[in-house]
Amino acid sequence: MSLYGRFFQIGYVTRDIDTAVQHLQQRMGATLVDIIHDMRTEAGEQVCIRNLSHMALPGVEIELIEPRLDQDSIYLDALPDGNDDVGFHHLGFLLPDQQAWDSAIASLAVFDTPIVMEGATSKVRFAYLDTRRQTGHYSEIVWRFDPEGARPLP
């Protein structure tokens, strides 16, 4: 396991979540795990993600993000031109517990890696790391702490 956890996810952005889901099912054989239309906080407020989906391929989770175009976010620069395309955005790394989360966060200063967006719900905590200079893409660390409600991991 790396300092940022276990690699488990490839993140893409799209302009049309339903078309992208269909595309990944047909062309890659991905299995739909979930889809959330009109994503909001637990308090009902809009977030910068309009629609979100998770899909499964053997050994990896695919995350599809359709950002809200009227809100500034880290997702907009990676958007492809066409509605039926996806653009690569990030790699996701899963952390098992609070201690691993704290260690990963502490390492960011050592490597001069800024957090560009972070958040939490009652089931998950996440942070996007700006690793574009080193890798050409963002990295996301994720801690899912609701084992009863968590979906199977790849």
Side-chain angles (χ1 to χ4, degrees), residues 69-94:
L69 301 178
D70 61 346
Q71 293 187 24
D72 189 33
S73 73
I74 65 169
Y75 306 113
L76 298 178
D77 287 344
L79 273 175
D81 292 333
N83 283 346
D84 57 347
D85 297 327
V86 297
F88 176 66
H89 185 262
H90 68 270
L91 294 181
F93 298 87
L94 189 65

Side-chain angles (χ1 to χ4, degrees), residues 14-119:
T14 184
R15 293 181 181 274
D16 183 326
I17 197 89
D18 296 313
T19 301
V21 164
Q22 184 179 32
H23 172 85
L24 292 177
Q25 286 174 318
Q26 292 174 346
R27 295 197 175 193
M28 296 176 70
T31 302
L32 182 64
V33 175
D34 64 18
I35 189 165
I36 302 165
H37 289 98
D38 191 25
M39 191 165 169
R40 295 177 178 266
T41 66
E42 291 174 336
E45 300 163 341
Q46 278 190 350
V47 296
C48 64
I49 296 174
R50 180 175 178 212
N51 300 312
L52 177 73
S53 179
H54 295 94
M55 304 182 80
L57 286 172
V60 70
E61 177 179 278
I62 302 295
E63 182 173 55
L64 282 172
I65 298 166
E66 180 184 340
R68 293 187 193 274
L69 301 178
D70 61 346
Q71 293 187 24
D72 189 33
S73 73
I74 65 169
Y75 306 113
L76 298 178
D77 287 344
L79 273 175
D81 292 333
N83 283 346
D84 57 347
D85 297 327
V86 297
F88 176 66
H89 185 262
H90 68 270
L91 294 181
F93 298 87
L94 189 65
L95 296 164
D97 54 34
Q98 180 73 50
Q99 182 179 358
W101 179 269
D102 292 343
S103 293
I105 295 298
S107 74
L108 299 178
V110 172
F111 297 110
D112 192 27
T113 305
I115 295 175
V116 292
M117 187 172 89
E118 63 183 311

